[in-house]
């Protein structure tokens, strides 16, 4: 130490052989007094406590260990290397500077040296002297909270940047947890066949009889390096059978919460006009804001003229809602479908190596939302009291500190480190 991972003195044993050799070494070590097996995540927790990394980096390391796709690996590696933590530290530093300027004005505004003390040009000449009553700060004539120019500009810019960071379309969360894609369509159009084709194994039962699928089947896939949680659902209709009716209810629930919809139709029973295809998809009632891919299955049964008309209509579709012909029976069109899916996933998740690092945790969103709300209250200056304005900056800074672990981290440590494997 302090150059080890945890910042403490450490020793590493590299042993050869299979599990029996490793078990023998561990048993020998276990007989030494004072030695015990590490708890899950204990080494990373020790590194955090010794200031070797902050909580965002620890979360990134946990995600890196569990990464299943290349895009997940890139995002987790970027966070583990501290990119997200450095962004939040920069915001925290800006808030600290703004709070120092504001408190300097409150405490020393009658002093001619306030300009030098705060490091803000013209700050001492912008306002009337402070007025005190009974030892408490009272509103200054012509001054509302947060209207110290340097502070006001900083806070407004910071609030805009944080709110822009929050409006990232959940890219980081989708990449970390997987995009929830739902295969939806009427009965007997080939939804389960498509599910099996994408899984490359017979994961779902396929039958010529309509209504075979009764429950939701889900599998995790890697499409173009992006994680996809693909769900096969019951055919959307009004069934009389109570079991199938429950399956349709579950299908509609899963469809309402989908991040991406694979709308499947029978290519032999739809009109090739864009309006007719749009109406057929709308009848499935997909989420209005969810991107989708229209899959026209059973292309192997089409005649030459119908195939040409449908191909032309598919080519005219908007990039955010493309359509493609497919034959689950022959595999024709599978490569085109995979390309469309990869494009949609890239649009949803973004490139984790470009631009500002993305939000990956709901707790980050919660604390950043509270931080932005405090900055908004500061900007409104409802009370007109500079002391109250300074407290809003303290609240905002505290929320940022809770993300990185510099303030009030104890209540989230168990949640963060409980998912680590032993020895990390």
């Amino acid at each position: 130490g302090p150059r080890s991972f945890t910042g403490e003195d450490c020793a590493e044993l590299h042993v050869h052989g299979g599990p029996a050799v490793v078990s023998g070494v561990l048993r020998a070590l276990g007989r030494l007094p004072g030695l015990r097996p590490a708890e899950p995540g204990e080494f990373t927790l020790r590194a955090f406590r010794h200031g070797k990394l902050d909580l965002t980096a620890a979360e990134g390391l946990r995600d890196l260990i569990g990464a299943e796709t290349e895009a997940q690996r890139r995002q987790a590696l970027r966070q583990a290397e501290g990119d997200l933590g450095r962004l939040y530290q920069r915001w925290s530093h800006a808030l600290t500077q703004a709070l120092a300027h504001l408190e300097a004005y409150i405490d020393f505004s009658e002093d001619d040296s306030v300009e030098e003390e705060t490091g803000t040009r013209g700050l001492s000449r912008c306002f009337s002297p402070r007025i005190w009553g009974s030892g408490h700060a009272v509103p200054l004539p012509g001054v509302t909270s947060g209207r110290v120019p340097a502070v006001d500009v900083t806070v407004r810019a910071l609030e805009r940047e944080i709110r822009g960071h929050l409006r990232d379309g959940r890219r980081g969360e989708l990449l970390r947890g997987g995009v929830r894609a739902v295969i939806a369509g009427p009965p007997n159009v080939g939804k389960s066949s498509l599910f099996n084709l994408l899984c490359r194994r017979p994961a779902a039962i396929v039958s010529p009889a309509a209504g075979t699928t009764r429950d939701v089947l889900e599998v995790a896939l890697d499409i173009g390096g992006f994680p996809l949680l693909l769900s096969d659902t019951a055919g959307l209709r009004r069934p009389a059978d109570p079991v199938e009716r429950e399956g349709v209810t579950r299908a509609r629930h899963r469809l309402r919460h989908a991040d991406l919809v694979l709308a499947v139709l029978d290519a032999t029973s739809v009109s090739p006009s864009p309006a007719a295809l749009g109406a057929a998809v709308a009848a499935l009632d997909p989420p209005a804001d969810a991107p989708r891919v229209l899959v026209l299955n059973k292309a192997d049964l089409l005649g030459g003229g119908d195939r040409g008309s449908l191909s032309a209509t598919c080519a005219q579709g908007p990039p955010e809602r493309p359509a493609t012909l497919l034959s689950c029976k022959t595999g024709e069109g599978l490569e085109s479908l995979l390309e469309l899916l990869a494009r949609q996933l890239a649009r949803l998740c973004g490139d984790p190596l470009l631009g500002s690092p993305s939000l990956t945790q709901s707790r980050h969103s919660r604390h950043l939302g509270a931080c932005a709300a405090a900055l908004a209250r500061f900007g409104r200056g409802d009370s007109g009291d500079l002391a109250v304005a300074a407290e809003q900056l303290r609240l905002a800074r505290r929320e940022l500190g809770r993300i990185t672990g510099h303030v009030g981290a104890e209540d989230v440590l168990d949640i963060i480190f409980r998912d680590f494997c032993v020895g990390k």
Side-chain angles (χ1 to χ4, degrees), residues 24-41:
V25 172
L26 291 176
R27 285 196 302 272
L29 291 174
R31 289 193 290 268
L32 296 177
L35 256 63
R36 62 168 177 80
E39 298 293 333

Side-chain angles (χ1 to χ4, degrees), residues 182-191 194 231-238 247-258 260-267 269-270 275-297 321-323:
V182 173
I183 300 176
N188 220 21
V189 295
K191 298 184 301 300
L194 174 59
S231 297
D232 182 26
T233 60
L236 300 177
R237 64 175 178 177
R238 294 182 178 177
V248 172
T249 299
R250 295 185 181 190
R252 293 196 180 281
H253 178 269
R254 190 64 66 97
L255 183 60
R256 282 195 299 270
H257 296 88
L260 175 64
V261 177
L262 275 70
V264 184
L265 299 176
D266 185 341
S269 61
V270 295
L277 289 178
V281 173
L284 304 177
D285 196 23
D289 56 344
R292 64 174 180 253
V293 176
L294 173 58
V295 181
L296 300 173
N297 189 31
R321 290 185 174 177

Side-chain angles (χ1 to χ4, degrees), residues 128-149:
S128 304
R130 177 185 54 180
I131 299 175
W132 290 92
S134 303
H136 299 285
V138 298
L140 301 174
V143 179
T144 58
S145 70
R147 292 302 180 257
V148 178

Side-chain angles (χ1 to χ4, degrees), residues 300-366:
D300 57 295
L301 302 180
L302 290 174
D306 291 337
R307 177 188 291 270
S309 299
L310 280 174
S311 295
T313 302
C314 291
Q316 297 170 8
E320 65 276 7
R321 290 185 174 177
T324 186
L325 287 172
L326 176 71
S327 171
C328 290
K329 183 177 181 180
T330 66
E332 175 194 356
L334 177 60
E335 291 303 319
S336 175
L337 174 60
L338 290 175
E339 288 178 9
L340 292 179
L341 283 176
R343 241 179 267 154
Q344 292 287 56
L345 292 173
R347 184 178 287 113
L348 283 167
C349 298
D351 188 334
L353 297 183
L354 295 179
S356 177
S358 299
L359 281 165
T360 59
Q361 307 279 340
S362 59
R363 78 174 191 92
H364 298 179
S365 301
R366 185 172 65 253

